[in-house]
Amino acid sequence: MKIVRRDFVRNGPGSIKIVAEDSDDLWYAYNLIATGDSVMAVTFRKVQREVPGGGRDSERVRLKLEVQVEEVDYDKDASVLRIRGKNILENEHVKIGAFHTLELDLKRPFVLRKDQFHRHLLLEAERRQLRAIIENKSRIILVHTNSGYRHSLGEVLNAPNVMNMIKDTKAAKEVKALNDFFTMLSNDPARACYGPKHVEVAHERMAVQTLLITDELFRNSDVKTRKKYVDLVESVKDSGGEAFIFSSMHVSGEQLAQLTGIAALLRFPLPDLEDIEM
């Protein structure tokens, strides 16, 4: 699903412009849109017009309408979302209060407005008995991003106000560790290293203060490889260091994976590591 634009007020009304890119996106939209919401989109409607001679004719015109939602239907076979309600947008062809059905198919943008997106999420969680959301609703926060794609998690987690609110969570600590690594790599490269060989040598010299490793390495399907990294993590902890295991499904884990999947912050500089082949 492509998020073109969003505009939210904390604990208040909000709108979001969406483009459904596949049938799953329409299904998600079907579950998101509720009675009382409003949806705006370009649509077509047959209208009457006068013709010379006093007669009347009809034509199909393209126009933009916004309806107050009363019914929502999803046609899976046709990949069409039908939204019926009363028009609330002034238009020369359709009176305010007139009923209209918007047909939203793939690639057609539409704007959804809700009084409270946050409240809707919690009501849906209650309706579906989603325990994970219900039990943690006090921990849910609203934040702004420039897009709805997964890489925007990096933007969210790097925002100082967000980091302050989630500073004690595992994800926040991992993001901080990765940011510290990149800062050190930039400012004092002799005290940061990455790659299996360089990290292994650094650990042999008791230099690893903070180890960063992806779960793809730590839980590798190859038993020998998995044992090697499990032993490394335990050894770093036993020597007084920290170890962070990054999820490959998380944006920070993806960043670490681009650096071979393993990196370390060092207690003291090891400038000669550059001479060792990775």
Side-chain angles (χ1 to χ4, degrees), residues 36-106:
D37 295 342
S38 69
V39 175
M40 181 171 64
V42 171
T43 185
F44 293 89
R45 184 173 174 117
K46 185 179 291 187
V47 298
Q48 298 291 322
R49 64 172 184 170
E50 293 185 0
V51 295
R56 296 182 67 84
D57 193 7
S58 65
E59 66 174 331
R60 188 174 168 83
V61 297
R62 184 176 184 270
L63 42 81
K64 181 183 288 186
L65 292 182
E66 183 171 4
V67 301
Q68 195 86 39
V69 179
E70 295 194 8
E71 295 179 20
V72 185
D73 177 64
Y74 175 53
D75 186 335
K76 181 180 179 181
D77 295 330
S79 290
V80 173
L81 195 60
R82 297 186 178 91
I83 301 168
R84 186 173 187 271
K86 292 180 180 179
N87 178 43
I88 59 173
L89 186 65
E90 188 71 40
N91 188 284
E92 64 174 307
H93 297 295
V94 184
K95 295 179 180 180
I96 289 181
F99 278 98
H100 184 81
T101 298
L102 295 174
E103 292 197 349
L104 306 177
D105 48 15
L106 297 179

Side-chain angles (χ1 to χ4, degrees), residues 198-223:
H198 284 191
V199 172
E200 181 181 339
V201 172
H203 180 57
E204 289 173 354
R205 299 181 186 180
M206 300 296 290
V208 175
Q209 177 62 46
T210 305
L211 177 68
L212 295 75
I213 184 171
T214 62
D215 58 357
E216 289 184 345
L217 292 180
F218 186 72
R219 301 183 178 91
N220 198 281
S221 57
D222 179 72
V223 176

